[in-house]
Amino acid sequence: MKVGIIGAGFVGSTTAYTLVLKSLASEIVLIDLNEAKAEAEALDVLHAAALNSPCKVHRGEFSDLKDANVVIICADAQPPLANAASDTLENNKAIMKKIVPEIVKFAPSSIILVATNPVDIITKIVLDFSQFPKDRVIGTGTVLDSARFRAILAEELNIAPHSIHAYVMGEHGTSALPSWSTATIGGEKILSYANRIGKPISEDRQKQIALEIVESVSKINRSKKSTYYGISAAIAKIIEAIAKNQKADLTVSTLQEDVYGIKNICISLPTIIDRTGAHQSLLPDLSSEEAWALKNSAQIMGKYNN
């Protein structure tokens, strides 16, 4: 599978490395305004590929996206350009305005995977700019948030994370919804299991965990200035579902025509991913409180449709 990555910063380069380690691509094209940086990162990843599995890794131009199966957008406004969240959005919107027409021109049959923040809003912008079918424009959404939720529960209950089924839905941001009512292990509700083994998760602890999920980025950034391992693994998980036609359910951000009356927004719900893109979003049976929280998250995203 041929993969294009636009943006050779921490996220883009770590994503290329992760895809090589997981043998998910036969060719990776790294594109960046800083051509020397893209060249160096491509060469470094190419050397890693030589120790793992055959993969052609190289710096490229937009024209090199021809025949790409997936194009991953990791390009982001640099911190000095963004003094507030609104600055970040406007700067990244301007970047998309330049990038997306090039993807449409050279890779018109590709799936676009958006990792640039604010990811739900940028995913909608990319969809609008590209005019691609909605199943071929996917945001990384809350795939990483859901992984963080499972990681915390795994520590809390001494269970392997992959054995826990738990989702974070809604916005990839402060209004994200960790769903406790649908979280299970072996078919048993996670809260019931926690009570049964003598490790109850109180409502206060549930609120604390929700804060840990959304504030983990800030915590990491305070010490190392950027997060890239987690999001690169999340991107690779989505790419794997596409490459292997897994029909896996992942909480990606896609266009939802109606979420509790909020129309035409990009937001994260469990969604089936296969080689042709994102299909069949699911709406889990939430508690009334969670349904309200998801609607609130949808309303926040809906404000950016105007």
Side-chain angles (χ1 to χ4, degrees):
M1 186 169 79
K2 181 176 179 178
V3 176
I5 300 176
I6 302 176
F10 285 122
V11 174
S13 58
T14 307
T15 294
Y17 177 64
T18 306
L19 294 180
V20 160
L21 288 188
K22 292 176 72 70
S23 303
L24 292 174
S26 58
E27 181 179 354
I28 298 173
V29 183
L30 274 174
I31 300 173
D32 197 283
L33 285 174
N34 187 337
E35 294 183 0
K37 174 77 160 60
E39 184 77 39
E41 295 290 1
L43 189 61
D44 201 4
V45 174
L46 178 65
H47 296 162
L51 294 168
N52 188 66
S53 62
C55 182
K56 180 182 178 183
V57 186
H58 60 99
R59 183 196 70 80
E61 309 291 341
F62 283 110
S63 58
D64 294 306
L65 293 176
K66 183 181 178 182
D67 299 324
N69 301 96
V70 182
V71 178
I72 307 168
I73 300 179
C74 301
D76 204 346
Q78 296 299 307
L81 297 176
N83 299 315
S86 58
D87 293 334
T88 300
L89 173 57
E90 289 307 312
N91 287 325
N92 284 342
K93 183 176 181 179
I95 291 171
M96 298 307 124
K97 194 170 184 178
K98 295 177 181 178
I99 287 173
V100 174
E102 300 294 331
I103 299 173
V104 173
K105 179 178 179 181
F106 293 108
S109 299
S110 65
I111 295 169
I112 302 177
L113 178 56
V114 181
T116 303
N117 281 318
V119 70
D120 304 289
I121 302 166
I122 296 297
T123 300
K124 180 63 163 59
I125 288 168
V126 170
L127 179 64
D128 290 344
F129 283 169
S130 69
Q131 292 297 294
F132 275 16
K134 65 178 184 178
D135 55 344
R136 289 203 284 122
V137 178
I138 306 169
T140 52
T142 57
V143 173
L144 179 54
D145 306 74
S146 295
R148 289 170 177 152
F149 189 21
R150 292 165 190 164
I152 293 169
L153 290 174
E155 288 290 319
E156 199 93 0
L157 302 173
N158 194 28
I159 302 170
H162 67 266
S163 295
I164 296 172
H165 301 277
Y167 298 109
V168 175
M169 292 172 271
E171 175 197 9
H172 173 63
T174 55
S175 71
L177 164 68
S179 174
W180 292 93
S181 67
T182 62
T184 63
I185 174 169
E188 183 175 0
K189 298 284 188 181
I190 207 82
L191 292 177
S192 297
Y193 175 78
N195 287 333
R196 188 163 59 80
I197 65 170
K199 294 183 177 181
I201 304 174
S202 67
E203 288 188 10
D204 285 343
R205 179 59 182 142
Q206 292 173 39
K207 292 175 183 178
Q208 186 181 17
I209 288 173
L211 282 175
E212 288 178 25
I213 292 167
V214 299
E215 292 180 354
S216 57
V217 173
S218 298
K219 182 178 180 180
I220 294 169
N221 285 344
R222 281 195 295 270
S223 297
K224 57 177 269 186
K225 310 302 181 186
S226 180
T227 61
Y228 37 91
Y229 298 128
I231 186 58
S232 297
I235 291 169
K237 188 72 173 175
I238 299 167
I239 294 295
E240 183 175 27
I242 295 169
K244 297 182 179 180
N245 198 33
Q246 288 181 333
K247 303 186 188 301
D249 70 301
L250 297 169
T251 50
V252 293
S253 183
T254 57
L255 182 69
Q256 303 297 328
E257 295 177 353
D258 191 328
V259 178
Y260 294 111
I262 315 303
K263 300 183 184 300
N264 297 320
I265 55 168
C266 285
I267 201 168
S268 291
L269 292 170
T271 303
I272 306 302
I273 307 293
D274 64 18
R275 68 163 60 97
T276 62
H279 311 280
Q280 301 173 4
S281 290
L282 311 170
L283 188 58
D285 187 13
L286 305 174
S287 68
S288 57
E289 293 83 2
E290 289 173 345
W292 179 89
L294 182 60
K295 181 178 181 179
N296 176 64
S297 192
Q299 286 175 329
I300 291 171
M301 293 298 95
K303 292 177 182 178
Y304 293 94
N305 279 352
N306 300 322

